């Protein structure tokens, strides 16, 4: 009986120590999401079906498919595959398109401020009823400003 | 003859196919301006290049002359309007470089006439034929930056004044590179991510100084001195190389750091030399003799980089591939005839692309976070006002 | 003091746990794909090994021997080693989550690493004193980490080589490990 | 300018191999003179076997085997193996050593320039470990007997001075070996002069070996592990220092890394010679140093 008792005692002791340690070393899940998010191109273009890069990162930690991000292309998929070996791949090929930048045709812009509302990364400057323009190196090419524009004066082009 | 112009980064064509343009007319603007060096009609335009069907080759200035001592802003604006870029080979827009120099404050201006690469001696010819304009250009720059002028020369003798300090260096590659100049003249060794401007130095090629003088006389950058197979000629920018030399592929740039280009490539703003392409030799396996390690002026681990397959960007970054100044010394010393420069150039491009990509992503991420917080604050404010209106209505109601 | 140094060098190189006694081979082949995971695994194993060896020694001499339960040593040691590994796992997960993800299954696998349990059992078997156990554990762990780091640098080089099709991947890794073990074999009989 | 630069071009890999083979000749001649024609027979066997294995491997890898043979790397490996394997050994030893060297040591890694370990040492060690008996017997004035190293290791009571008079020893080191080592050292000096190999590696290796020997010399008593001079002239120390360690493919490029590389090799060699069970630790020292090269390259990049 003494032998079983000793082993049980030992196990309980170790579990107690681990419980104390557990509280002090909070699991770094949040840090992991940030690490995954930093691998994504941060275009916030929602082409992956999630409303932005951070939500997609959270979904990835939850086990989402790793090849939903066209702007990131194959390089990002490789990185994510390394960090998340168990996550599935949704489709065989990934439709990657060359990086594009938006440009507002200033002749037809009516200053309606809708595209500025839509731009996830504040890459368009302007005020209501004033001329709007796209900051070329701030724009990530997510094309979210195209649908809301009433006069369709925004064009995508190579940087 | 069909003249061709390549679209610089972040700039757009501002003419349509079919337009008739006079010599010196603006073809494209944005970060860098491009001007037509010939009179003719625009044949075709696409994302990469513009083709001009040449009618007349006679060149006329298209801007009005400007006094050398006019205000800094006007001189900088003229440099931008003339489309001046670094003619030494870098091709960085000069107005951006000078603007940054003014912003950070610069006390040393280096006019670089050290031609350290075999096969390139266009600066030497420039110094002989256009001495007055070069002096005028240097004076304009000195007035603009009010910095102490240093002239660096190798084989060529650059025009000089008493007030300017002249340094004659032995011109073996890569003595003329700006990192090497900072070390040899001022004894400053630049860190990996530093440029001369961080130490109050700005290095300007003598060709760029000459182009600035001509810009003040009313000429946009539409022609430059080029060493064509050893012979120096004053050529219009856009001239197809196939009209100058026989053959289907040519080497643009010096014999060491030059690149092989196809038959239809044009003379660009940064083309300092053109030669028929060298015969390519079949490479043998690398035996890690490290001759390239020894000769590399930036003492990079060249042998390890040369063996590294493309795609492994972390390793390329760890081996500091982005510090390569593409001087091309490693290729001739390789006993197995491996084109080491091209491999290092690819690694350098990959690492730089990855870094800018990562920085852009981080910046976009921060802007997104800031926007989310701003919208949260705005909606909270709107909500508070709505509650307040509700209560006021209930009280009055 | 001299024999302590000799013992240290002994377990570090002469009868290196991986290359001479062929213990702890699964993490050796599993995590040396990349340099940083190999280093992390080496350090984690060193921490676990030293902690577990000393704790096992104490438990054995202060608890099991007085109660005459020496035959329970394997079970007791496994409990302690598992505890130490769990502690390491929590620490790595808290400090660098990416490394935790990269190491993946190999982090909890330290529990079953023959070297860890091996050291504890050998130490008590040879009735080493506390200091000697610590030195023995440190030597073993140092040897393990040294070989892991060296081998991972080798494997990263192998990836850049244009290997014949048949040798790509595991075959060349096994051949290289064999030659490395051959090198260490020279120390036999020290 | 580029023309002059091209002349500084490091010798072509073919020239390198030719020069290395030439530099080996004085050593080979001395050994042949001392240990009889068996040495030349041994070398001949190794050369033929190496040539055959190289051709077979290249053909297996669908490479043009004529081009492969022209780069002269196989003969160099064959010479190194032939000199390391004792001439008295049964024919199986050099054959096994050479085949392993060329097939496993070089072609398994993808051919010239790709291998991680020095092929000759891989072959020699594999043969040494699989046939230890064959490797212990070196001819001593035409009768094969234990080598100087072996006698030193199992020395029970004779001071160094007395040891030197036993048949296994010449005047300062192993019988005859001191002349062979001298010849190899001369060959090595020529290679350094021609710029084929750097001086840093061999010199550091020899100094480190000498230093260690000095540290444990304790005045030539019976328990001594031999004086530095003895260590330099026993076994194939000079052969390893100038021809095996300096194989460009398997040593690190950064200067500081080369120092550590030589130290590892010297420490291992001395430890095995002084206390190990194998007669000579050179082969193991080279293998361990080669194994550390990737790490050293990375550490001191």
């Amino acid at each position: 009986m003494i032998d079983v008792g000793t082993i049980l005692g030992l196990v309980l002791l170790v579990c107690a120590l681990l419980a104390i340690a557990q509280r002090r070393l909070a699991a770094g899940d949040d840090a992991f999401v940030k690490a995954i998010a930093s691998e994504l191109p941060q275009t916030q273009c929602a082409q992956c079906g999630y409303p932005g890069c951070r939500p997609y990162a959270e979904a990835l930690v939850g086990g989402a498919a790793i090849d939903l991000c066209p702007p990131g292309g194959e390089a990002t998929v490789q990185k994510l595959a390394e960090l998340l070996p168990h996550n599935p791949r949704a489709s065989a090929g990934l439709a990657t398109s060359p990086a594009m930048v938006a440009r507002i045709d200033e002749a037809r812009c009516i200053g309606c401020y809708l595209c500025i509302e839509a731009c996830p990364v504040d890459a368009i400057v302007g005020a209501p009823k004033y001329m709007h323009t796209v900051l070329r190196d701030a724009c990530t090419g997510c094309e979210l400003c195209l649908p809301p524009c009433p006069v369709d004066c925004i064009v995508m082009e190579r940087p | 003859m069909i003249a061709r112009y390549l679209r610089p980064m972040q700039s757009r064509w501002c003419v349509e196919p079919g337009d008739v343009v006079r010599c010196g007319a603006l073809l494209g603007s944005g970060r860098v301006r491009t001007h037509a060096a010939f009179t003719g009609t625009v044949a075709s335009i696409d994302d990469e290049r513009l083709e001009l069907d040449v009618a007349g080759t006679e060149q006329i200035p298209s801007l009005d002359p400007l006094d050398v001592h006019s205000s800094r802003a006007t001189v900088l604006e003229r440099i931008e309007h003339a489309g001046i870029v670094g003619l030494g080979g870098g091709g960085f827009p000069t107005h951006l470089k000078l603007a940054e120099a003014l912003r950070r404050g610069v006390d040393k201006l280096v006019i670089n006439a050290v031609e350290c690469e075999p096969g390139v001696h266009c600066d030497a010819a420039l110094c002989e034929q256009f001495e007055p304009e070069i002096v005028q250009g240097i004076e304009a720059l000195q007035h603009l930056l009010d910095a102490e002028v240093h002239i660096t020369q190798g084989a060529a003798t650059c025009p000089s004044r008493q007030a300017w300090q002249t340094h004659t260096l032995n011109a073996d590659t890569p003595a003329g590179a700006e990192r090497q100049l900072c070390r040899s003249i001022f004894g400053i060794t630049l860190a990996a991510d530093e440029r001369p401007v961080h130490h109050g130095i700005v290095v300007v090629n003598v060709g760029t100084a000459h182009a600035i003088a001509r810009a003040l006389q009313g000429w946009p950058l539409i022609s430059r001195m080029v060493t064509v197979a050893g012979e120096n000629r004053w050529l219009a920018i856009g001239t197809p190389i196939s009209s100058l030399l026989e053959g289907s592929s040519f080497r643009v740039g010096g014999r060491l750091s030059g690149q092989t280009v196809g038959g239809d490539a044009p003379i660009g703003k940064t083309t300092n030399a053109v030669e028929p392409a060298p015969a390519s030799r079949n490479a043998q396996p690398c035996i890690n003799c490290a001759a390239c390690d020894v000769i590399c002026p930036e003492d990079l681990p060249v042998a390890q980089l040369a063996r590294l397959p493309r795609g492994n960007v972390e390793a390329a970054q760890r081996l500091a591939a982005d510090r390569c100044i593409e001087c091309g010394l490693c290729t001739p010393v390789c006993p197995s005839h491996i084109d080491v420069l091209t491999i290092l150039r690819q690694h350098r491009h990959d690492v730089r692309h990855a870094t800018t990509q990562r920085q852009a992503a981080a910046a976009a991420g921060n802007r997104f976070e800031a926007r989310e917080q701003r919208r949260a604050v705005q909606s909270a404010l709107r909500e508070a006002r709505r509650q307040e209106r509700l209560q006021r209505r209930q009280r009055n109601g | 003091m001299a024999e302590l140094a000799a013992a240290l060098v002994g377990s570090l190189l002469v009868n290196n746990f991986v290359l001479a006694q062929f213990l702890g081979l699964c993490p050796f082949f599993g995590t040396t794909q990349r340099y940083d995971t190999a280093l992390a695994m080496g350090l984690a194993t060193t921490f676990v090994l030293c902690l577990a060896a000393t704790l096992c020694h104490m438990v054995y001499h202060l608890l099991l021997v007085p109660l005459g339960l020496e035959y329970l040593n394997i079970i007791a040691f496994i409990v302690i080693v598992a505890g130490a590994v769990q502690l390491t796992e929590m620490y790595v997960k808290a400090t660098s989550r990416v490394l935790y993800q990269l190491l993946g299954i190999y982090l909890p696998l330290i529990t079953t690493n023959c070297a860890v349990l091996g050291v504890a059992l050998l130490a008590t078997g040879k009735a080493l004193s506390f200091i000697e156990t610590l030195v023995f554990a440190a030597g073993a762990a140092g040897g393990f980490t040294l070989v892991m780091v060296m081998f991972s640098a080798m494997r990263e080089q192998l990836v850049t080589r244009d290997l014949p099709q048949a040798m790509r991947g595991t075959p060349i890794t096994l051949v290289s490990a064999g030659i490395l073990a051959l090198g260490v074999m020279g120390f036999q009989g020290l | 300018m580029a023309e002059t630069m091209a002349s500084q071009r490091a010798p072509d890999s073919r020239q390198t191999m030719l020069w290395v083979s030439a530099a080996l000749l004085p050593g080979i001649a001395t050994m042949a003179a001392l240990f009889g024609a068996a040495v030349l027979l041994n070398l001949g066997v190794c050369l033929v076997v190496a040539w055959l294995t190289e051709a077979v491997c290249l053909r297996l890898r669908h490479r043009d085997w004529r081009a492969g043979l022209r780069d002269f790397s196989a003969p160099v490996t064959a010479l190194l193996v032939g000199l390391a394997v004792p001439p008295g050994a049964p024919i199986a030893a050099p054959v096994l050593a050479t085949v392993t060297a060329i097939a496993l040591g070089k072609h398994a890694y993808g051919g010239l320039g790709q291998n991680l370990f020095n092929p000759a040492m891989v072959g020699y060690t594999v043969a040494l470990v699989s046939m230890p008996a064959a490797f212990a017997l070196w001819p001593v004035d035409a009768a094969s007997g234990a080598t100087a190293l072996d006698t030193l290791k199992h020395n029970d009571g004779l001071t160094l001075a007395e040891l030197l008079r036993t048949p296994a020893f010449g005047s300062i080191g192993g019988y005859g070996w001191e002349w062979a080592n001298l010849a190899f050292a001369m060959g090595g000096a020529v290679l350094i002069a021609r710029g084929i190999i750097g001086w840093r590696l061999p010199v550091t290796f020899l100094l480190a070996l000498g230093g260690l020997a000095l540290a444990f010399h304790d005045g030539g008593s019976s328990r001594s592990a031999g004086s530095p001079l003895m260590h330099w002239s026993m076994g194939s120390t000079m052969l390893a220092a100038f021809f095996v360690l300096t194989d460009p493919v398997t040593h690190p490029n950064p200067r500081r890394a080369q120092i550590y590389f030589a130290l590892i090799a010297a420490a291992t060699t001395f430890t095995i010679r002084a206390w190990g069970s194998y007669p000579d630790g050179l082969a193991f020292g080279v293998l361990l140093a080669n194994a550390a090269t990737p790490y050293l390259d990375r550490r001191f990049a």
Side-chain angles (χ1 to χ4, degrees):
Chain A
M1 209 17 227
I2 184 76
D3 40 25
V4 173
T6 327
I7 293 298
L8 267 182
L10 208 59
V11 167
L12 289 177
L13 177 69
V14 166
C15 292
L17 281 174
L18 289 181
I20 300 165
Q22 176 74 22
R23 218 169 295 105
R24 265 214 349 255
L25 299 166
D29 261 349
D30 159 51
F32 191 40
V33 170
K34 212 184 256 96
I36 297 272
S38 70
E39 294 305 332
L40 299 174
Q42 296 297 332
T43 51
Q44 322 295 349
C45 60
Q47 286 176 29
C48 52
Y50 297 90
C53 291
R54 192 167 177 81
Y56 179 43
E58 272 141 13
L60 277 168
V61 171
I66 53 173
D67 56 348
L68 301 177
C69 177
E74 206 39 46
T76 307
V77 174
Q78 229 91 42
K79 274 267 171 50
L80 293 177
E82 217 174 80
L83 286 176
L84 302 154
H86 308 301
N87 285 42
R89 273 177 181 256
S91 64
L94 180 70
T96 58
S97 55
M100 302 286 271
V101 174
R103 180 171 63 81
I104 292 176
D105 176 359
E106 275 139 7
R108 290 164 42 222
C109 166
I110 57 170
C112 67
Y113 206 72
L114 284 177
C115 60
I116 295 179
E117 286 288 330
C119 176
V121 284
D122 285 347
I124 306 177
V125 286
K129 295 195 192 53
Y130 284 90
M131 180 54 62
H132 296 357
T133 180
V134 176
L135 302 175
R136 289 185 77 89
D137 34 9
C139 171
T140 59
C142 67
E143 295 175 10
L144 283 177
C145 53
L146 296 184
C149 176
V151 290
D152 267 338
C153 71
I154 303 179
V155 173
M156 298 306 289
E157 58 182 26
R158 296 290 300 279
Chain B
M1 180 173 88
I2 299 282
R4 282 185 192 80
Y5 295 90
L6 302 177
R7 182 178 69 83
M9 273 283 288
Q10 294 185 2
S11 81
R12 275 185 310 51
W13 302 117
C14 50
V15 282
E16 297 304 325
D19 293 1
V20 174
V21 287
R22 278 179 42 259
C23 165
L26 189 65
L27 293 177
S29 71
R31 185 165 178 262
V32 181
R33 294 191 171 204
T34 315
H35 298 82
F38 307 92
T39 314
T41 50
V42 176
S44 75
I45 283 189
D46 65 32
D47 245 346
E48 294 314 319
R49 60 159 63 105
L50 175 147
E51 287 185 352
L52 187 73
D53 195 346
V54 172
T57 59
E58 193 260 339
Q59 294 200 327
I60 38 161
S62 63
L63 306 165
D64 36 35
L66 201 62
D67 169 26
V68 175
H69 298 294
S70 34
S71 78
R72 281 189 177 150
T74 32
V75 171
L76 261 182
E77 192 200 32
R78 170 54 59 92
I79 292 175
E80 179 182 2
H81 287 171
I84 311 267
V85 294
L87 295 185
F92 189 79
T94 310
H95 67 280
L96 295 179
K97 183 174 187 176
L98 296 179
E100 186 192 13
L102 283 170
R103 200 174 62 253
R104 286 178 188 269
V106 155
D107 53 10
K108 298 186 193 68
L109 163 66
V110 176
I111 302 299
N112 181 9
V114 179
E115 278 184 314
C116 57
E117 202 168 340
V120 178
H121 21 76
C122 55
D123 286 354
L126 203 70
C127 291
E128 280 150 24
Q129 293 168 21
F130 298 97
E131 185 167 333
E133 277 103 346
I134 291 177
V135 170
Q136 220 181 23
I138 298 173
E139 269 159 6
L141 278 169
Q142 184 183 18
H143 166 66
L144 180 73
L145 300 166
D146 86 60
E148 191 191 87
V149 177
H150 293 258
I151 308 279
T152 59
Q153 57 191 25
T157 53
C158 178
S160 174
R161 284 284 177 279
Q162 275 54 39
W164 304 340
Q165 299 173 22
T166 308
H167 309 263
T168 308
L169 309 166
N170 62 24
D172 37 12
T173 309
E178 58 181 20
R179 297 176 71 90
Q180 269 56 33
L181 282 178
C182 288
R183 197 180 301 149
S184 53
I185 302 173
F186 306 110
I188 298 169
T189 307
L190 297 176
D193 50 4
E194 267 183 339
R195 282 177 283 113
V197 74
H198 293 111
H199 292 272
I201 303 164
V202 69
V203 179
V204 175
N205 177 275
V206 64
T208 318
H210 172 249
I212 289 172
R214 275 171 60 86
L216 296 178
Q217 291 165 3
W219 292 91
L221 182 54
I222 48 175
S223 48
R224 66 160 291 159
M225 186 68 80
V226 182
T227 313
V228 180
E231 180 221 342
N232 294 318
R233 293 170 57 184
W234 182 259
L235 290 173
I237 288 171
T239 324
I241 301 177
S242 46
S243 71
L244 303 165
L245 289 169
E246 305 317 318
S248 64
S249 78
F250 308 100
R251 181 197 345 239
V252 166
R255 215 161 286 148
L256 285 176
S257 69
Q259 283 177 323
T260 313
V261 290
D264 58 4
I267 295 281
K269 288 183 180 178
T270 58
T271 317
N272 47 21
V274 176
E275 274 180 348
S280 68
R281 327 160 72 123
N282 39 32
Q284 292 156 1
C286 155
I287 55 164
N288 193 24
C289 70
C292 48
D293 269 30
V294 168
I295 203 144
C296 175
E298 291 284 317
D299 54 56
L300 300 173
V302 184
Q304 288 189 54
L305 278 166
R307 298 182 122 187
L308 190 65
R310 203 168 179 191
N312 186 344
V313 180
E314 292 96 20
Q317 184 135 25
R318 180 169 48 76
L319 297 169
D322 50 355
R323 265 192 27 227
C324 165
I325 55 171
E326 296 184 24
C327 66
L329 279 174
C330 39
T331 303
V333 293
C334 174
S336 306
H337 310 309
I338 298 171
D339 186 355
V340 186
L341 177 62
T342 315
I343 299 171
L344 258 79
R345 202 173 243 151
Q346 287 162 356
H347 281 310
R348 176 185 177 190
H349 168 75
D350 292 353
V351 170
R352 292 225 160 157
H353 181 68
T355 357
T356 35
Q357 204 78 358
R358 210 170 305 124
Q359 277 156 4
N366 297 343
R367 282 201 306 279
F368 177 73
E369 304 290 341
R371 179 172 178 276
E372 289 299 301
Q373 275 153 15
R374 191 182 69 237
R375 286 165 69 91
V377 164
Q378 274 168 354
S379 56
L381 226 79
R382 218 174 289 122
E383 191 49 36
R385 271 205 299 281
R386 208 172 60 76
Q387 291 302 348
E388 199 193 297
R389 271 200 308 281
L390 210 62
Q391 277 145 15
R392 214 181 312 110
R393 197 168 301 120
Q394 272 150 6
R395 258 189 270 107
N396 307 350
Chain C
M1 190 42 207
E3 341 73 43
L4 276 189
L8 185 71
V9 167
S11 55
L12 195 72
L13 261 181
V14 173
N15 29 44
N16 180 298
F17 263 66
V18 179
L19 293 176
Q21 306 187 19
F22 303 111
L23 295 171
L25 285 183
C26 27
F28 177 71
F29 283 112
T31 58
T32 47
Q33 215 94 15
R34 283 163 55 116
Y35 181 78
D36 32 26
T37 46
L39 189 62
M41 176 50 78
L43 296 178
T45 314
T46 308
F47 173 73
V48 166
L49 228 155
C50 295
L51 186 67
T54 38
L55 288 180
C56 293
H57 182 278
M58 279 195 284
V59 161
Y60 185 78
H61 286 288
L62 302 179
L63 187 68
L64 296 186
V65 169
L67 297 172
L69 299 171
E70 289 83 353
Y71 58 88
L72 284 181
N73 58 2
I74 292 187
I75 304 173
F77 290 171
I78 277 294
V79 168
I80 295 169
V81 167
V85 169
Q86 199 54 33
L87 195 68
T88 326
E89 205 175 330
M90 274 192 262
Y91 177 76
V92 172
K93 191 170 183 182
T95 45
S96 97
R97 193 59 168 68
V98 172
L99 209 56
Y100 174 79
Q101 198 63 31
L102 285 178
L103 287 173
I105 181 65
Y106 288 103
L107 204 51
L109 202 60
I110 303 180
T111 334
T112 61
N113 181 337
C114 354
V116 177
L117 190 58
V119 163
L121 288 174
L122 285 173
T124 44
K126 289 191 203 145
L128 296 174
S129 76
F130 183 81
I131 297 296
E132 279 162 0
T133 317
L134 190 60
V135 162
F136 183 46
F144 180 78
T145 315
L146 180 74
V147 168
M148 292 278 285
V149 165
M150 256 193 352
F151 195 59
S152 66
M154 276 166 67
R155 280 181 78 168
E156 281 196 355
Q157 280 287 350
L158 282 178
V159 166
T160 69
R161 299 294 152 87
D162 130 45
L163 300 158
Q165 204 50 32
M167 293 302 283
R168 291 233 165 98
T170 321
I172 198 65
T173 314
L174 295 176
V175 165
S176 307
I179 299 176
L180 186 56
L182 212 56
V184 173
M185 246 173 101
F187 289 117
Q188 249 175 7
L190 225 67
Chain D
M1 188 67 67
E3 293 70 23
T4 51
M5 215 86 65
S7 64
Q8 289 164 359
R9 175 192 298 273
D12 194 329
S13 45
R14 224 170 83 73
Q15 284 161 336
T16 316
M17 300 302 173
L18 283 174
W19 268 104
V20 169
S21 319
L24 278 171
L25 290 183
I28 296 171
T30 334
M31 284 185 67
L34 288 165
F35 296 115
V39 172
L40 298 181
L41 175 71
N42 218 358
L43 289 178
V45 164
C46 290
L47 281 168
V48 168
V49 170
W51 190 73
L52 281 175
T53 329
E54 178 91 359
V56 165
C57 288
L58 283 170
R59 179 169 296 265
L60 282 177
R61 291 177 54 218
H62 315 300
R63 299 286 170 89
D64 162 17
W65 57 278
R66 268 176 219 83
L69 290 181
R70 237 183 282 116
D71 69 22
F72 252 91
S73 60
V76 171
T77 313
L79 287 178
L80 291 177
V81 170
L83 288 167
V85 172
I91 194 75
V95 169
L96 171 67
T98 314
V99 169
T100 325
I102 302 287
L104 191 69
K106 193 168 92 163
H107 284 289
Y109 285 92
L112 179 64
Q114 314 275 359
N115 47 325
L116 279 183
F117 295 91
N118 182 300
M121 283 304 117
V122 170
Y124 172 77
T125 317
V126 165
L128 172 67
V129 170
S130 32
M131 295 185 275
F135 283 78
L137 308 173
W138 274 85
V140 171
D141 54 43
S144 66
T147 65
L149 279 169
D150 248 349
T151 334
L152 184 66
K153 188 185 299 300
H154 307 304
N155 168 17
D156 45 17
L158 296 175
T159 66
L160 286 194
E162 289 143 0
L163 259 180
L164 284 181
R165 279 188 293 284
T166 57
F169 279 76
S171 52
I172 45 168
Y175 166 79
W177 273 101
E178 67 248 2
W179 303 113
N181 273 307
L182 205 61
F184 286 126
M186 278 197 309
V190 165
L191 284 182
I192 291 176
R194 284 289 305 173
I196 310 270
I197 57 173
W199 60 270
R200 185 163 287 105
L201 233 154
V203 167
T204 324
F205 172 73
L206 293 174
L207 285 181
L209 193 62
L212 282 169
L214 208 61
F216 292 90
H217 182 39
D218 61 37
S221 73
S222 60
R223 278 188 55 265
S224 143
S227 71
L229 204 56
M230 283 173 70
H231 273 282
W232 282 339
S233 55
M234 278 192 303
S236 40
T237 317
M238 290 302 175
L239 178 68
F242 288 102
F243 294 93
V244 178
L245 275 173
T246 55
D247 161 20
V249 175
T250 53
H251 73 255
N253 302 334
R255 264 183 285 289
R256 281 220 312 267
Q258 286 181 0
I259 309 263
Y260 285 98
F261 178 81
L263 291 180
I264 294 172
T268 321
T269 313
F270 183 77
T271 321
I272 296 175
R273 276 187 179 177
W275 304 298
S277 62
Y278 284 97
D280 195 347
L282 276 171
F284 300 107
V286 170
L287 283 187
L288 277 186
N290 288 334
T293 302
Y295 172 70
L296 292 172
D297 255 336
R298 180 194 173 97
R299 176 74 182 68
F300 299 100

